[in-house]
Amino acid sequence: MKISFYGKSGIGKTTIVSNLAVGLAKRGFKVLQIGVDPKRDSHLSIVKKFIPTVVEVIEAKSQKNEDFSIEDFIYEGYQGVHCIEAGAPPAGIGCGGFVTGETIKILKQFDRLDYYDYYLYDVPGDLICGGYTAPLQYSDLSYVIAGDDFNSIYSVNRLLEGIKEKSKGYDIKIAGVIVNNHNQKERISKYCEELNLPIISEIDEVHALKTETLKTTIYEANESLNVFEKEVQQFEKIVDAIIAQSHETATLNNPDPLSFEDLIKSYRKLTFVEA
């Protein structure tokens, strides 16, 4: 099962994806987490060190005329989760879709394209160009992490636009929204209700802060500190939902996104401003 996770910058997407990767691995699944972000840090809380990106490895080996192995690209971390970092093209040139394509080529070359039970793509959620919709081409399901602010809701709507376009040639479904910060959810809940888009789970925003401080996953921190059992259980509920939806893809429907004008009108109404 190949799943892409999107979300606006700073929403806690990488934190959530890393914890879900560990949660799935704890259930006995083989998991590969694929970082598709210029920050190239998707793997950090799992592997505990920066790993080279796919593009960096290819360039370095090519310059020395050396062959490369799968171990040059994939690193194992906590709970046996494997990580690979696609990286990004140089700033100002190139396309994010290129690095995704090169990553897929490497996985295919070393017979890793169908090796894992779960492939988790950690992708920027702004979809500023077609390149960052490329993971949708290789995904069975997609989730978006969102808060209650306009930029979060815009990212959800933008992802729906990307899925609508990609679904013309690929069988990709949006599974739903994971709300980060369940204490504030009125606007994102109303938006999802209007589009008949399911909210999969709601988690405390404090997760991102705790993990940022600890530089690890909530699962690993709880093993040593034994103070995050509530947080672990919240992630376990999302893991349950992912496993269940993995077997129900045929029943999922992709709602139509709102036009930008309608999105603005809807948001203004939800913030008690006369549209």
Side-chain angles (χ1 to χ4, degrees), residues 5-257:
F5 292 84
Y6 286 82
K8 73 162 192 173
S9 178
I11 195 61
K13 172 178 50 63
T14 294
T15 296
I16 291 171
V17 173
S18 297
N19 278 283
L20 294 178
V22 170
L24 286 165
K26 279 181 168 289
R27 304 287 185 95
F29 295 110
K30 291 186 293 186
V31 182
L32 177 65
Q33 182 167 321
I34 305 171
V36 189
D37 193 309
K39 289 192 301 179
R40 55 176 295 179
D41 64 348
S42 179
H43 61 280
L44 199 53
S45 65
I46 295 175
V47 180
K48 303 297 191 296
K49 64 178 181 180
F50 276 109
I51 66 175
T53 68
V54 168
V55 174
E56 287 174 339
V57 172
I58 292 175
E59 289 181 349
K61 293 289 186 178
S62 297
Q63 289 176 0
K64 298 178 181 179
N65 198 28
E66 295 177 349
D67 293 331
F68 42 73
S69 66
I70 192 62
E71 288 78 16
D72 293 319
F73 301 95
I74 293 179
Y75 288 72
E76 183 174 333
Y78 174 65
Q79 205 61 37
V81 174
H82 287 189
C83 297
I84 186 169
E85 203 70 44
I93 59 174
C95 174
F98 169 77
V99 296
T100 302
E102 290 300 296
T103 302
I104 297 299
K105 287 180 183 178
I106 292 298
L107 295 178
K108 186 175 183 179
Q109 179 178 341
F110 290 100
D111 297 321
R112 292 297 190 276
L113 206 52
D114 295 302
Y115 176 80
Y116 298 92
D117 299 307
Y118 283 92
Y119 296 73
L120 307 185
Y121 292 92
D122 177 12
V123 198
D126 303 291
L127 298 187
I128 53 176
C129 74
Y132 287 110
T133 65
L136 294 175
Q137 299 172 199
Y138 309 103
S139 299
D140 303 298
L141 294 176
S142 183
Y143 294 86
V144 60
I145 290 81
D148 202 45
D149 59 294
F150 176 76
N151 286 340
S152 282
I153 296 173
Y154 174 77
S155 291
V156 178
N157 204 66
R158 185 75 166 164
L159 177 60
L160 290 177
E161 292 177 358
I163 288 177
K164 183 177 181 179
E165 185 63 32
K166 289 295 182 182
S167 63
K168 295 176 182 178
Y170 301 91
D171 187 18
I172 171 66
K173 300 288 184 64
I174 184 165
V177 176
I178 298 170
V179 177
N180 191 16
N181 186 3
H182 76 269
N183 292 322
Q184 298 178 8
K185 61 179 182 178
E186 180 180 1
R187 287 169 289 197
I188 184 64
S189 296
K190 289 289 187 181
Y191 169 83
C192 291
E193 181 180 347
E194 183 176 353
L195 272 66
N196 195 27
L197 181 63
I199 291 178
I200 302 304
S201 187
E202 302 161 4
I203 58 178
D204 296 328
E205 188 179 35
V206 73
H207 285 163
L209 300 176
K210 288 177 179 176
T211 307
E212 178 64 24
T213 301
L214 296 167
K215 301 298 182 185
T216 186
T217 64
I218 292 295
Y219 282 92
E220 187 174 5
N222 191 53
E223 285 187 0
S224 57
L225 302 176
N226 199 31
V227 293
F228 298 129
E229 189 59 34
K230 175 186 174 182
E231 289 81 355
V232 167
Q233 291 307 312
Q234 288 181 322
F235 279 112
E236 285 290 284
K237 290 181 180 179
I238 306 177
V239 172
D240 287 338
I242 289 174
I243 294 172
Q245 289 185 311
S246 297
H247 302 289
E248 301 171 354
T249 57
T251 66
L252 299 174
N253 296 310
N254 293 327
D256 288 326

